Amino acid sequence: KGGAGPSTLEFTRWPPEVVVRAAGGARRWLLRNAVALVWAAAAVGGVLRLARYLDNRSLWLDEAFLAINLTEKPFSDLFGRLEFLQSAPPGFLALEKAAVALFGDSEYALRLFPLVASLAALALFAHVALRLLPPLAAVLAMVLFAANSRLLYYSSEVKPYSSDTAVALLLVALALYAYGGERPFRRLLPLGVVAPAAVWLSFPAIFVLGAVTVPLALRPLGRGDRRQAAAVLTGAAI
């Protein structure tokens, strides 16, 4: 810049073969350690969620409205109309009511199940990402999921959003398990057991179940096994 002598760029420029060798080494290291990195990112996400939970912010308006229903209504009335235009899945309300009965009506007690669900979602996402994605993409996806600001916020909110996420990922994981075998009928048993509970615990679960059923039914149809496809669809309908 205005003087003689080599520029800074010339001092820091590396030969192309050095750059390629370094990049290749880094890529090989990432590939070898992808599984560990995915679970490390999940662990960091868990720490972030615990920190948000321990921050113990006050309930905001919608949380407070739902909390009033949980603390003032008897258990049987939670399955009817809720006050203050609130709605939540019956299973979520039952678990929240159980937490209130066991631990009181503090913010910590009310947010305990959403926290547990968000931690479960981290483990389930790690499993699904490693099943569906190439190693490096799984690491990136896990980092984005663990640090997502919305998911962090809802991990400590008296709302069913974190449990919706966990239930959706559980259904996908069970569908992947069923899809992984040559004859998936027996592998469908875990999904068949969980599915009825899922729709009580999460409203969006019905859409996820519809989505995961399609490839499970199409696979035997592709092999000409109509009996297997009919069994899958019958189980899905039930």
Side-chain angles (χ1 to χ4, degrees), residues 87-217:
S87 66
F92 173 84
L93 293 172
L95 290 169
E96 283 289 306
K97 187 68 174 178
V100 169
L102 289 172
F103 306 115
D105 58 359
S106 67
E107 284 88 344
Y108 282 136
L110 288 163
R111 290 178 176 143
L112 180 60
F113 175 62
L115 172 68
V116 172
S118 70
L119 295 175
L122 282 168
L124 289 165
F125 188 87
H127 172 75
V128 170
L130 289 169
R131 281 291 306 272
L132 290 179
L133 298 174
L136 298 185
V139 173
L140 176 59
M142 189 70 246
V143 169
L144 294 174
F145 186 89
N148 183 277
S149 60
R150 291 289 184 184
L151 294 174
L152 283 171
Y153 180 81
Y154 290 130
S155 68
S156 293
E157 176 155 334
V158 192
K159 286 289 184 176
Y161 306 131
S162 61
S163 51
D164 287 341
T165 306
V167 169
L169 287 166
L170 177 60
L171 294 176
V172 171
L174 292 176
L176 288 171
Y177 171 75
Y179 193 79
E182 287 300 319
R183 296 187 60 82
F185 186 69
R186 290 183 180 178
R187 286 173 165 253
L188 276 170
L189 182 60
L191 183 62
V193 171
V194 170
V199 296
W200 281 77
L201 192 59
S202 169
F203 289 147
I206 191 67
F207 301 107
V208 181
L209 282 168
V212 300
T213 299
V214 173
L216 290 173

Side-chain angles (χ1 to χ4, degrees), residues 25-35 37 135-136 139:
R27 185 175 185 276
R28 286 192 296 272
W29 183 87
L30 288 171
L31 288 171
R32 284 197 306 269
N33 297 279
V35 174
L37 290 171
L136 298 185
V139 173

Side-chain angles (χ1 to χ4, degrees), residues 36 62 77 161 230:
D62 259 8
D77 288 354
Y161 306 131

Side-chain angles (χ1 to χ4, degrees), residues 5 11 15 23 43 57 66 80 82 86 122-123 130 158:
F11 277 122
R57 60 179 174 81
L66 189 57
L82 299 180
Q86 295 299 299
L122 282 168
L130 289 169
V158 192

